[in-house]
Amino acid sequence: MAEKRYFRQQNPFVVPTTDGKLIEEHIGHASTGTGQYSVAHMVAPPQWSEPHQQPEFDEVTVIVRGRKRFEVDGDVIELSAGESLLIKAGARVRYSNPFDAECEYWSICVPAFSPATVHREDE
């Protein structure tokens, strides 16, 4: 029998966090051993933020509900449900949800997200 040319994800890898953010990696290093790209579903709680970073990968964010703030190379961008943003590799970026409601979104990284290539700054 030939190898199947699809993969059905029924049990995404839940990334352990300490800040209340839900990260479910459907495709990527941790869930499937895929390095070419990663796809993750996320829910950021109200008043959530993380340090600036300068990743070695492109990242597309698609907002499902709520709002999310992006600081990209000094510009501030706020997205709402139905909007998306591409941030190119090498940009200095900070993600946050300074609002009073959760923000649900999908993130696609090319190549795949990796803690070794995200380059988070110390706060």
Side-chain angles (χ1 to χ4, degrees):
M1 183 167 169
E3 180 181 345
K4 294 189 184 291
R5 294 195 292 172
Y6 65 88
F7 172 76
R8 180 179 177 180
Q9 178 60 275
Q10 295 180 295
N11 189 24
F13 177 76
V14 178
V15 178
T17 64
T18 59
D19 59 4
K21 182 178 176 186
L22 171 67
I23 304 172
E24 298 172 315
E25 184 186 90
H26 284 256
I27 308 293
H29 286 294
S31 57
T32 60
T34 304
Q36 297 92 330
Y37 53 88
S38 59
V39 178
H41 171 251
M42 302 189 200
V43 179
Q47 310 307 315
W48 165 87
S49 69
E50 61 186 22
H52 281 90
Q53 56 194 27
Q54 199 163 2
E56 296 177 25
F57 47 82
D58 289 351
E59 184 166 0
V60 175
T61 302
V62 181
I63 307 298
V64 176
R65 65 181 166 87
R67 296 187 296 164
K68 186 175 177 186
R69 180 176 292 164
F70 304 78
E71 299 169 36
V72 184
D73 291 335
D75 293 337
V76 176
I77 303 151
E78 291 182 1
L79 295 186
S80 297
E83 295 183 304
S84 60
L85 183 67
L86 164 63
I87 300 175
K88 295 184 179 181
R92 184 173 184 259
V93 61
R94 180 173 186 256
Y95 300 105
S96 65
N97 177 13
F99 309 107
D100 292 331
E102 287 183 335
C103 179
E104 180 180 8
Y105 59 100
W106 286 86
S107 174
I108 300 98
C109 298
V110 179
F113 174 90
S114 167
T117 61
V118 72
H119 305 298
R120 285 201 176 101
E121 298 176 10
D122 296 330
E123 285 195 286

